[in-house]
Amino acid sequence: MLDQTTVLLIQTTVMLTVTAQLNLTPFGNGSQSSYISDVDGNPEYAVNPPMSNEYSLDKCSSSTEKVGQARGAWWIFEFSFDTAYITDITIYYRENNAFEMDGFQLYVTNTPTIPPNGFLCYEDPKPGLPNIRQTIPCYHLGKYVIYYDRTGYELESIPYAPTVSLCYVAIYGCEKNFWGSNCDISCAESCIEKHCFPGNGSCILGGCSDKNCLNSNCDQYTAVCTEGCKERRTGNFCNKYNLAFDSSILFNSTRNEQAILANDGNKTSCVPSHGSEMWVQVDLKEISVVTEIYLTLIVNITKEGNHTLYASNYSGLWENGTVLFRGESLPTVINVSAVFRYLIYEPPIQNQIFKLEVCEIGIVGCPPTHFGPFCSKLCPAYCSGPCDIETGNCLFGCVNKWIGDKCDLGPSCYETNSDNLTTNCSPEIDQVYPASGPVNGGTLLTLTGNYLGNVNDSIFVDISGVRCHNVTVQTPYTDLTCVTGKYTALQTIGLFVWVNANYFSDSNTKYFTFKVPKILEFLPKKGILSGNTTVTIRGLNIDFEGQSRYNISFCDDVFCLKCSVLPKTISPTIIKCKTGKSVEPRNMTQLNVVIDDLTVLTLKETFQYLPDPTFDISTELPKALQGGGVVFSIRGNGFNNVGAITVERVDNPCDVPEDTSTECETPPRLQNQPNNQTIEVNFDGVTIQVTLEYVNDPTFERFQGIVEYDMESSIEIKGRNILNVARYHDYHINIGLDGSCLISDINMELITCIPPKSVPRTNKTDVTTVHVIVNVIRIHIYIGDIQYITETNTFAIVVGLLGAGLVGSVIMGMSAFSILRRKKTKAANEFKMEIKAKEEIIQKARRDGMSERRRNVRVEDGDEDTEPEESIYDEINADEENNTPENSYLDVHGGYDELGQRPPTNPYNQLQHENQNQDTINNVTNADDELQCNTRRNDYLSLFNGYDEPISRNYPDNPLQHERVDNNNSMTNLDNSITDSSLNDYINLRKYD
């Protein structure tokens, strides 16, 4: 049993290795404390080749402290883009004048203020004189690089003011948001402000390149992948190729089926091992170039000792290997430069029992056939062994007598006995850059390919029918440059390259285009004295790619002020540039744009240099939320003279509602910094500092489950610091995809709002459930879901039932009414038919009775041809003139009703006694039957009493007392009476219907 155990956890600690990147001096302009003249010792000379300490006023900058100003001497370089991350600064000072440099300082800042106020990269130490040629590391983000000297010097006991004489300055790094050897790789979107280190792409301000991290887990602030890396990746940020991923791993003291856990990319899955003698072997399966080694181990030891790494190409035994590393502690990353196949790790203690856990092994390099970013390019075909993983140069020479750094020159294409190899093979062209230039020529072309000649070869280049002059071999056989001549109207397409007697000819491909550029306008027309105003120049055919092709300036009658091109803003119709400084207000009357030295475009329009803005600085600190986005105001004068007002770490420019004020957004709070943080606000070339007080962000409680919403009431959202900085109008609450919650009340701890009455759109499976998101400035917080509930409405049900009952009743009533109406119609039709039949019987009886009476009268008078009806008609009508038609039917029936009761003196009775004809008796009997029918009819009509107005049944005492009745008139009255009565009864029935 071990008496004492020490647990050594070897885990990740960030170590950054950043190499020199792109020289950024072509992207900006210089200024200095004083000027000898318009042409001598200008600040731009310090960034122009050659790289030398040789001093002259047309090659080096020269400035001294301004007379009357004890501010020192300085040289400033300002980038034409916003900011750059600086990795190294190389300085070539004036030869034999190291004493002038004594005590100098080098700064990277965001403001051009003097004395400098920013990051101090380097300060010359005492005693001794500095080296006039040195490279200074300076890992910092900034807008300006400032060489500053305030000490001065003495010569022969005579004091001299501070002086700056720089012959060459190179500033290496990348523009913010980019990284890589050419600064052409975008930083990860997940990095805060998309800001990363130029050398490896790791996040500077925090964030995480989680697309490469295992399970997308990483530290928010360091960007280190916490659980490991996805396949074939290693390193703290999982941005490097891992040779160990496809290797085989062997443990001498454990079951090797578990060994795969040591190279699966997962730091949390470890291979346990214990014993007295242990080692771990990694077989890369082929000889490869290795630059870094990462080991994640957990070691239990009782004594101190050395961790040892061996490398070998021929055996997996550590005794046969070369020691790559030995030390008591094992760093996170071991930097090596080696070529091997086997890697062996030996723990510190041998011959004692202890425990070892190997969690992850990462070996950075490339397979022997590949190089480049993440080993994405193939090595040259004739390399003897692996190539350099960055340049692709063959590390171990060439095979089959090929020569060159990349083994790209074959044995049949050069004279082996010549000191200066001359190519004998036809040239091969891979690329021509750039692809266009102005018609006046002067464009510097670079041709790359194979067999393009050496310094002693005779080389001729013709492109698009134009001779290319000043042909210069840059890299033997693979790269050459030349300068285009002037375009002629006989332009053709194609490229012709002659090297000695061999040539390349292609007349079908357009390698280069000649253009006619033109300038139309520029905006804005004014800027401030401190410069840095962005000017947009519009024109035609003005897009020419490549470095240092433009020279833009605003000029008056005396001199010109440079406007530095912003290279990433060039398009066929637009160029953008940043104005230089002016010492006094000026009207620059002409814009000059020079392209490739030979094309000069001018525009006669005025650009005004106006006074810099002034500021009324308040002592009250603006408050800001942790995530930024809160609006604060700055007051002063001259803000309308400024082209753009920007705040560091904020994408949107400030608003300028009037000349005396501007409104800006606060940036996010920097982590691991105090709550009061100072930010910089840029007014073009003028920068001021503003201190912000960061307060706690609003926080909100999550709903406890899904909240049911009845579509009538409001909902409550609980939280803290709700109105700490934000106000009512800063809040917006999303309900679902397209709904808003109308805020009815808000305080520090509660928001009350009313959701929309109808269900908004949702992306959930349940279409009645929608999310709730609180938005305040830059904060967006999901707090839960609400579900729209459709409750049973009793009133609606009652109304529905009543409505249904009413509809049913109406239908039933209409059905009953329809049936009753059909029955009534049928009865009425039967009644009409019955009346009609009775009428016919009465009419027949009447006719028969009248005929008999007429015969009797004729016999009695002795004259059968006499018409007794006329006298009788006259006698009867004398009394019936006042009878109404409606009573005719009743009167006639009344007469028949009493016919048998007439006295003997009555003429009708006399006729009845004198005439015993059976037909007459039958007629009278039929009349009696008719009277009984009428009685039944009246009873039938009485059934309808109450449906309409009762039918009049007036029977006045109207006996047939007249001695004679006109037959025709009586029958007419009888017919009319019966017809009218029947019609009235039928009409009354239809009214009811």
Side-chain angles (χ1 to χ4, degrees), residues 650-664:
V650 176
D651 294 332
N652 299 324
C654 303
D655 293 329
V656 183
E658 54 186 350
D659 189 61
T660 58
S661 69
T662 183
E663 296 178 349
C664 307

Side-chain angles (χ1 to χ4, degrees), residues 6 14 31 92 106 183 236 238 243 337 450 580 664 675 694 698 702 764 781 852 866 992:
T6 302
V14 177
S31 59
Y92 283 69
L106 195 62
C183 301
N236 291 322
C238 298
L243 290 168
S337 179
N450 286 316
C664 307
N675 286 332
Y694 283 90
R702 291 286 294 268
K764 299 181 181 297
I781 300 177
E852 184 64 28
T866 303
Y992 176 77

Side-chain angles (χ1 to χ4, degrees), residues 168-345:
Y168 185 77
V169 176
I171 303 171
Y172 295 99
C174 283
E175 180 184 357
K176 182 183 176 183
N177 306 138
F178 292 90
W179 71 284
S181 58
N182 293 314
C183 301
D184 54 357
I185 305 174
S186 294
C187 296
E189 293 287 347
S190 53
C191 289
I192 294 176
E193 296 185 23
K194 201 180 175 183
H195 184 26
C196 64
F197 285 99
N200 55 26
S202 60
C203 302
I204 292 178
L205 301 177
C208 178
S209 303
D210 55 5
K211 65 181 180 180
N212 299 329
C213 295
L214 186 66
N215 300 322
S216 299
N217 287 329
C218 56
D219 186 275
Q220 179 180 359
Y221 302 112
T222 65
V224 171
C225 297
T226 53
E227 295 186 14
C229 302
K230 295 181 179 178
E231 63 179 26
R232 293 185 178 83
R233 291 184 176 271
T234 189
N236 291 322
F237 312 104
C238 298
N239 57 352
K240 299 178 180 180
Y241 191 90
N242 187 10
L243 290 168
F245 185 84
D246 296 310
S247 68
S248 61
I249 298 180
L250 176 66
F251 288 76
N252 76 321
S253 58
T254 189
R255 297 177 62 183
N256 285 292
E257 59 265 21
Q258 293 182 318
I260 58 173
L261 299 177
N263 63 342
D264 62 352
N266 189 347
K267 294 179 182 178
T268 64
S269 62
C270 304
V271 181
S273 178
H274 66 278
S276 59
E277 293 185 4
M278 287 190 296
W279 48 260
V280 182
Q281 172 191 288
V282 181
D283 181 6
L284 301 181
K285 300 181 180 180
E286 53 187 341
I287 296 175
S288 303
V289 178
V290 177
T291 59
E292 295 175 5
I293 299 172
Y294 290 83
L295 294 178
T296 302
L297 309 174
I298 300 176
V299 184
N300 284 343
I301 60 175
T302 59
K303 294 182 180 181
E304 294 183 354
N306 289 324
H307 300 268
T308 308
L309 287 174
Y310 300 90
S312 173
N313 288 333
Y314 307 105
S315 172
L317 298 177
W318 61 268
E319 294 91 346
N320 298 326
T322 301
V323 175
L324 292 178
F325 173 84
R326 177 174 285 139
E328 293 183 0
S329 62
L330 196 63
T332 302
V333 56
I334 300 171
N335 293 294
V336 299
S337 179
V339 179
F340 58 83
R341 172 175 173 175
Y342 297 98
L343 177 71
I344 303 98
Y345 166 72

